[in-house]
Amino acid sequence: MSNNGASTTTSAAAAVSVSVSVSVERDDLNLFRVGILGCASIAKKNAMAIFHPASGCTVTAVASRTLDKANAFVNEFVKPGLGDTTNCQVFGGANAYNDLIEWSSSSSQGADLIDALYIPLPTTLHKEWVIKALTKAKKHVLLEKPTALNEADYQEMLLLAKEQGKFLLDGTMFVHHSRTRQFLKTVHNQNVMGDLKRIESGFSFFADQDFSNHNIRVQKSLDPLGCLGDLGWYQIRMALLVFSSFKENDNDNGNYYNNKLPVLMSAQVVDCTLNQEGVPMEATCLVKFGTGNDDNDTNKKTTVLSFHCGFEAYFRQYLHVVGTKSGAFIDDFVLPKKQQDNNADSSATSVGSSTPSQSSFRVESMSLTDHDIWAVANVETFHDDVENTPVVVQQEVLMWQCFSRLARAIDNTNNNGGGSNGWGKSQECMEAAKLTETSILNQRVLDALMTSIQEGCSKVDFDVN
């Protein structure tokens, strides 16, 4: 039968394959080709990012356990971005995920049509499908956060990725934002901030009854980490970056990869709300970091992340870094606010479009007037340098750009016989390794916070030896 010009074939296993070919002006030669395993809401955002010209990527396959959902996803988010000669294979039905994996395996016709798989499935399904993507399809993987139910599962996935010579990246978008790099440069400037002491952060939204009853993020069988995995993940990641010691390589285009990560000291959920299944709906947490475990280090110091995350307060996403001289503030550190473009139709949207935006943060200090009558605020606001940038690119586009660049670098290392030790030792491979090293610590803190909840909100100490 036909469906908007696409041919549809139904197999005995109820897996449906639809070959879609549309004609638009886009040359897909040499693009990094992605298969999408699941059509969750976050997959829609990422599909639009993939088709942005700056990403260097395209979509060549989509799978959903519901055929109608797969077709709707392709029609809205894939067809508009496809090129003249590019087909998108669509799999729908109970075996759709397996069918896509089989189709993209080395022994199948799709082997040369996919470079990577994007997995936006519930956390409880991550390990199964990442392992299949790496070992059966032998593809790179971009995996939604939280990465796993626990660090042990994540370490197992990363070990397989390195054994297979494939990149496994988590989907934390703000890490790739140019503002994040500028923010880190600023907070690590002792002349501006002094010594860093703590981070205070809140990330929440108020969930309606339908979300609280049915969303996968509140179901123990799908995402048992709840608000900690969905929201707290970002607050922990920013703390790991802020409390690291950075060295920027002039040849790395502003991408940090030589940072020395902080030492995890302890983690505690001091207060929380759980739903009937025991999934965290709201949590107030303290995480303590150190600079090293060398007893002879006279410059050792500790820093603290204090944060609240949850589904039971209004939408906010602020981060406040406290130093001895100043404080640095971002009030939209996860999802940058949309800025009004006076020269564009604000109602116009398109797949892969980029809305001009000037993301910012501010640094503030205070002093007192004579006799302590008034407080005087000294505020400096920092913006992305958009004047010299013809197109302002969203952070999710930059994430896909980074993913494709590092995955190809790992492929090149392996093809040249240099990947026997993990992913290799090129600059790009080191960058990939540092991203995953940071992600592992992110997962480790999550594990400790979940343990804290299970143990009655007790403090969990990390082994620093």
mmCIF file of all heavy atoms in Angstrom, residues 185-212:
data_model
loop_
_atom_site.group_PDB
_atom_site.id
_atom_site.type_symbol
_atom_site.label_atom_id
_atom_site.label_comp_id
_atom_site.label_asym_id
_atom_site.label_seq_id
_atom_site.Cartn_x
_atom_site.Cartn_y
_atom_site.Cartn_z
ATOM 1 N N LYS A 185 35.649 29.718 31.878
ATOM 2 C CA LYS A 185 36.826 30.585 31.866
ATOM 3 C C LYS A 185 36.698 31.687 32.916
ATOM 4 O O LYS A 185 37.659 32.025 33.613
ATOM 5 C CB LYS A 185 36.989 31.221 30.482
ATOM 6 C CG LYS A 185 37.424 30.283 29.383
ATOM 7 C CD LYS A 185 37.542 31.054 28.067
ATOM 8 C CE LYS A 185 37.891 30.144 26.912
ATOM 9 N NZ LYS A 185 37.972 30.877 25.623
ATOM 10 N N THR A 186 35.521 32.232 33.020
ATOM 11 C CA THR A 186 35.300 33.337 33.945
ATOM 12 C C THR A 186 35.386 32.887 35.400
ATOM 13 O O THR A 186 36.056 33.513 36.227
ATOM 14 C CB THR A 186 33.934 33.992 33.683
ATOM 15 O OG1 THR A 186 33.879 34.443 32.318
ATOM 16 C CG2 THR A 186 33.707 35.169 34.606
ATOM 17 N N VAL A 187 34.704 31.792 35.737
ATOM 18 C CA VAL A 187 34.700 31.368 37.141
ATOM 19 C C VAL A 187 36.056 30.832 37.578
ATOM 20 O O VAL A 187 36.348 30.797 38.786
ATOM 21 C CB VAL A 187 33.595 30.316 37.424
ATOM 22 C CG1 VAL A 187 32.223 30.899 37.135
ATOM 23 C CG2 VAL A 187 33.823 29.034 36.652
ATOM 24 N N HIS A 188 36.892 30.435 36.633
ATOM 25 C CA HIS A 188 38.226 29.964 36.994
ATOM 26 C C HIS A 188 39.265 31.082 37.004
ATOM 27 O O HIS A 188 40.451 30.820 37.234
ATOM 28 C CB HIS A 188 38.667 28.843 36.043
ATOM 29 C CG HIS A 188 37.906 27.579 36.241
ATOM 30 N ND1 HIS A 188 37.323 26.878 35.215
ATOM 31 C CD2 HIS A 188 37.588 26.898 37.371
ATOM 32 C CE1 HIS A 188 36.696 25.825 35.698
ATOM 33 N NE2 HIS A 188 36.846 25.816 37.003
ATOM 34 N N ASN A 189 38.828 32.300 36.755
ATOM 35 C CA ASN A 189 39.715 33.460 36.811
ATOM 36 C C ASN A 189 39.738 33.974 38.255
ATOM 37 O O ASN A 189 38.785 34.590 38.728
ATOM 38 C CB ASN A 189 39.204 34.543 35.855
ATOM 39 C CG ASN A 189 40.148 35.724 35.757
ATOM 40 O OD1 ASN A 189 40.954 35.983 36.658
ATOM 41 N ND2 ASN A 189 40.054 36.457 34.664
ATOM 42 N N GLN A 190 40.832 33.711 38.935
ATOM 43 C CA GLN A 190 40.910 34.091 40.358
ATOM 44 C C GLN A 190 40.845 35.595 40.552
ATOM 45 O O GLN A 190 40.399 36.073 41.597
ATOM 46 C CB GLN A 190 42.181 33.532 40.984
ATOM 47 C CG GLN A 190 42.065 32.095 41.458
ATOM 48 C CD GLN A 190 42.958 31.820 42.658
ATOM 49 O OE1 GLN A 190 44.041 32.378 42.780
ATOM 50 N NE2 GLN A 190 42.489 30.964 43.557
ATOM 51 N N ASN A 191 41.292 36.364 39.563
ATOM 52 C CA ASN A 191 41.199 37.821 39.682
ATOM 53 C C ASN A 191 39.746 38.281 39.733
ATOM 54 O O ASN A 191 39.432 39.320 40.309
ATOM 55 C CB ASN A 191 41.907 38.495 38.507
ATOM 56 C CG ASN A 191 43.402 38.274 38.542
ATOM 57 O OD1 ASN A 191 44.002 38.177 39.615
ATOM 58 N ND2 ASN A 191 44.012 38.179 37.370
ATOM 59 N N VAL A 192 38.859 37.506 39.115
ATOM 60 C CA VAL A 192 37.432 37.845 39.090
ATOM 61 C C VAL A 192 36.706 37.226 40.271
ATOM 62 O O VAL A 192 35.942 37.895 40.981
ATOM 63 C CB VAL A 192 36.780 37.379 37.768
ATOM 64 C CG1 VAL A 192 35.273 37.594 37.795
ATOM 65 C CG2 VAL A 192 37.407 38.094 36.585
ATOM 66 N N MET A 193 36.907 35.933 40.496
ATOM 67 C CA MET A 193 36.096 35.179 41.454
ATOM 68 C C MET A 193 36.773 34.936 42.796
ATOM 69 O O MET A 193 36.098 34.652 43.791
ATOM 70 C CB MET A 193 35.725 33.821 40.851
ATOM 71 C CG MET A 193 34.846 33.899 39.618
ATOM 72 S SD MET A 193 33.168 34.481 39.967
ATOM 73 C CE MET A 193 32.539 33.144 40.974
ATOM 74 N N GLY A 194 38.095 35.003 42.853
ATOM 75 C CA GLY A 194 38.797 34.562 44.050
ATOM 76 C C GLY A 194 38.769 33.043 44.112
ATOM 77 O O GLY A 194 38.739 32.364 43.086
ATOM 78 N N ASP A 195 38.759 32.471 45.297
ATOM 79 C CA ASP A 195 38.668 31.023 45.455
ATOM 80 C C ASP A 195 37.207 30.586 45.377
ATOM 81 O O ASP A 195 36.333 31.196 46.000
ATOM 82 C CB ASP A 195 39.246 30.593 46.803
ATOM 83 C CG ASP A 195 40.748 30.815 46.883
ATOM 84 O OD1 ASP A 195 41.412 30.753 45.830
ATOM 85 O OD2 ASP A 195 41.250 31.054 48.001
ATOM 86 N N LEU A 196 36.941 29.541 44.636
ATOM 87 C CA LEU A 196 35.580 29.021 44.535
ATOM 88 C C LEU A 196 35.224 28.262 45.805
ATOM 89 O O LEU A 196 36.004 27.462 46.318
ATOM 90 C CB LEU A 196 35.448 28.108 43.318
ATOM 91 C CG LEU A 196 35.751 28.750 41.957
ATOM 92 C CD1 LEU A 196 35.503 27.750 40.832
ATOM 93 C CD2 LEU A 196 34.927 30.007 41.749
ATOM 94 N N LYS A 197 34.009 28.487 46.307
ATOM 95 C CA LYS A 197 33.592 27.890 47.573
ATOM 96 C C LYS A 197 32.415 26.929 47.420
ATOM 97 O O LYS A 197 32.415 25.843 47.976
ATOM 98 C CB LYS A 197 33.207 28.989 48.575
ATOM 99 C CG LYS A 197 34.287 30.016 48.832
ATOM 100 C CD LYS A 197 35.533 29.398 49.462
ATOM 101 C CE LYS A 197 35.286 28.965 50.887
ATOM 102 N NZ LYS A 197 36.514 28.469 51.533
ATOM 103 N N ARG A 198 31.399 27.348 46.658
ATOM 104 C CA ARG A 198 30.203 26.528 46.585
ATOM 105 C C ARG A 198 29.370 26.878 45.351
ATOM 106 O O ARG A 198 29.585 27.923 44.720
ATOM 107 C CB ARG A 198 29.361 26.677 47.845
ATOM 108 C CG ARG A 198 28.814 28.078 48.077
ATOM 109 C CD ARG A 198 28.118 28.216 49.435
ATOM 110 N NE ARG A 198 26.952 27.344 49.566
ATOM 111 C CZ ARG A 198 26.896 26.296 50.398
ATOM 112 N NH1 ARG A 198 27.940 25.992 51.158
ATOM 113 N NH2 ARG A 198 25.807 25.555 50.473
ATOM 114 N N ILE A 199 28.432 25.988 45.037
ATOM 115 C CA ILE A 199 27.432 26.216 43.998
ATOM 116 C C ILE A 199 26.060 26.014 44.628
ATOM 117 O O ILE A 199 25.847 25.062 45.382
ATOM 118 C CB ILE A 199 27.603 25.243 42.814
ATOM 119 C CG1 ILE A 199 28.904 25.514 42.075
ATOM 120 C CG2 ILE A 199 26.426 25.349 41.848
ATOM 121 C CD1 ILE A 199 29.200 24.475 40.985
ATOM 122 N N GLU A 200 25.159 26.927 44.328
ATOM 123 C CA GLU A 200 23.757 26.785 44.721
ATOM 124 C C GLU A 200 22.916 26.743 43.450
ATOM 125 O O GLU A 200 23.091 27.580 42.564
ATOM 126 C CB GLU A 200 23.341 27.950 45.620
ATOM 127 C CG GLU A 200 24.147 28.023 46.906
ATOM 128 C CD GLU A 200 24.109 29.394 47.557
ATOM 129 O OE1 GLU A 200 23.486 30.305 46.977
ATOM 130 O OE2 GLU A 200 24.731 29.549 48.623
ATOM 131 N N SER A 201 22.017 25.768 43.355
ATOM 132 C CA SER A 201 21.278 25.596 42.107
ATOM 133 C C SER A 201 19.871 25.075 42.366
ATOM 134 O O SER A 201 19.643 24.311 43.315
ATOM 135 C CB SER A 201 22.027 24.623 41.180
ATOM 136 O OG SER A 201 21.297 24.392 39.989
ATOM 137 N N GLY A 202 18.945 25.486 41.524
ATOM 138 C CA GLY A 202 17.585 24.958 41.540
ATOM 139 C C GLY A 202 17.142 24.645 40.128
ATOM 140 O O GLY A 202 17.302 25.464 39.226
ATOM 141 N N PHE A 203 16.636 23.440 39.914
ATOM 142 C CA PHE A 203 16.121 23.039 38.606
ATOM 143 C C PHE A 203 14.839 22.258 38.850
ATOM 144 O O PHE A 203 14.866 21.176 39.465
ATOM 145 C CB PHE A 203 17.160 22.189 37.866
ATOM 146 C CG PHE A 203 16.814 21.916 36.416
ATOM 147 C CD1 PHE A 203 15.858 22.654 35.744
ATOM 148 C CD2 PHE A 203 17.469 20.914 35.717
ATOM 149 C CE1 PHE A 203 15.554 22.401 34.410
ATOM 150 C CE2 PHE A 203 17.179 20.649 34.384
ATOM 151 C CZ PHE A 203 16.217 21.405 33.732
ATOM 152 N N SER A 204 13.723 22.812 38.400
ATOM 153 C CA SER A 204 12.441 22.183 38.684
ATOM 154 C C SER A 204 11.408 22.606 37.658
ATOM 155 O O SER A 204 11.607 23.559 36.904
ATOM 156 C CB SER A 204 11.953 22.573 40.087
ATOM 157 O OG SER A 204 11.733 23.981 40.159
ATOM 158 N N PHE A 205 10.301 21.900 37.640
ATOM 159 C CA PHE A 205 9.083 22.339 36.965
ATOM 160 C C PHE A 205 7.910 21.713 37.693
ATOM 161 O O PHE A 205 8.052 20.686 38.371
ATOM 162 C CB PHE A 205 9.084 21.969 35.470
ATOM 163 C CG PHE A 205 9.137 20.493 35.183
ATOM 164 C CD1 PHE A 205 7.976 19.721 35.117
ATOM 165 C CD2 PHE A 205 10.358 19.865 34.957
ATOM 166 C CE1 PHE A 205 8.037 18.360 34.834
ATOM 167 C CE2 PHE A 205 10.423 18.503 34.672
ATOM 168 C CZ PHE A 205 9.254 17.748 34.617
ATOM 169 N N PHE A 206 6.748 22.349 37.577
ATOM 170 C CA PHE A 206 5.573 21.847 38.266
ATOM 171 C C PHE A 206 4.824 20.899 37.342
ATOM 172 O O PHE A 206 4.284 21.301 36.317
ATOM 173 C CB PHE A 206 4.661 22.983 38.716
ATOM 174 C CG PHE A 206 3.519 22.521 39.570
ATOM 175 C CD1 PHE A 206 3.737 22.158 40.890
ATOM 176 C CD2 PHE A 206 2.235 22.406 39.051
ATOM 177 C CE1 PHE A 206 2.696 21.711 41.692
ATOM 178 C CE2 PHE A 206 1.191 21.956 39.838
ATOM 179 C CZ PHE A 206 1.420 21.608 41.160
ATOM 180 N N ALA A 207 4.804 19.621 37.704
ATOM 181 C CA ALA A 207 4.187 18.593 36.869
ATOM 182 C C ALA A 207 2.687 18.541 37.114
ATOM 183 O O ALA A 207 2.225 18.623 38.262
ATOM 184 C CB ALA A 207 4.815 17.239 37.177
ATOM 185 N N ASP A 208 1.924 18.390 36.025
ATOM 186 C CA ASP A 208 0.484 18.236 36.184
ATOM 187 C C ASP A 208 0.158 16.799 36.597
ATOM 188 O O ASP A 208 1.040 15.939 36.696
ATOM 189 C CB ASP A 208 -0.252 18.635 34.899
ATOM 190 C CG ASP A 208 0.148 17.800 33.688
ATOM 191 O OD1 ASP A 208 0.661 16.671 33.862
ATOM 192 O OD2 ASP A 208 -0.059 18.270 32.552
ATOM 193 N N GLN A 209 -1.115 16.530 36.821
ATOM 194 C CA GLN A 209 -1.531 15.226 37.323
ATOM 195 C C GLN A 209 -1.235 14.115 36.327
ATOM 196 O O GLN A 209 -0.866 12.994 36.717
ATOM 197 C CB GLN A 209 -3.023 15.240 37.666
ATOM 198 C CG GLN A 209 -3.450 14.119 38.607
ATOM 199 C CD GLN A 209 -2.743 14.193 39.952
ATOM 200 O OE1 GLN A 209 -2.631 15.276 40.538
ATOM 201 N NE2 GLN A 209 -2.258 13.065 40.453
ATOM 202 N N ASP A 210 -1.384 14.417 35.039
ATOM 203 C CA ASP A 210 -1.115 13.398 34.026
ATOM 204 C C ASP A 210 0.349 12.977 34.046
ATOM 205 O O ASP A 210 0.662 11.783 33.970
ATOM 206 C CB ASP A 210 -1.491 13.936 32.637
ATOM 207 C CG ASP A 210 -1.297 12.890 31.549
ATOM 208 O OD1 ASP A 210 -2.031 11.887 31.539
ATOM 209 O OD2 ASP A 210 -0.384 13.076 30.706
ATOM 210 N N PHE A 211 1.251 13.955 34.175
ATOM 211 C CA PHE A 211 2.678 13.653 34.284
ATOM 212 C C PHE A 211 2.942 12.808 35.524
ATOM 213 O O PHE A 211 3.631 11.773 35.462
ATOM 214 C CB PHE A 211 3.483 14.954 34.346
ATOM 215 C CG PHE A 211 4.973 14.757 34.457
ATOM 216 C CD1 PHE A 211 5.785 14.870 33.345
ATOM 217 C CD2 PHE A 211 5.572 14.473 35.683
ATOM 218 C CE1 PHE A 211 7.168 14.694 33.450
ATOM 219 C CE2 PHE A 211 6.937 14.294 35.798
ATOM 220 C CZ PHE A 211 7.740 14.406 34.673
ATOM 221 N N SER A 212 2.404 13.228 36.643
ATOM 222 C CA SER A 212 2.668 12.539 37.914
ATOM 223 C C SER A 212 2.146 11.111 37.927
ATOM 224 O O SER A 212 2.676 10.255 38.639
ATOM 225 C CB SER A 212 2.048 13.331 39.069
ATOM 226 O OG SER A 212 2.632 14.612 39.163
#
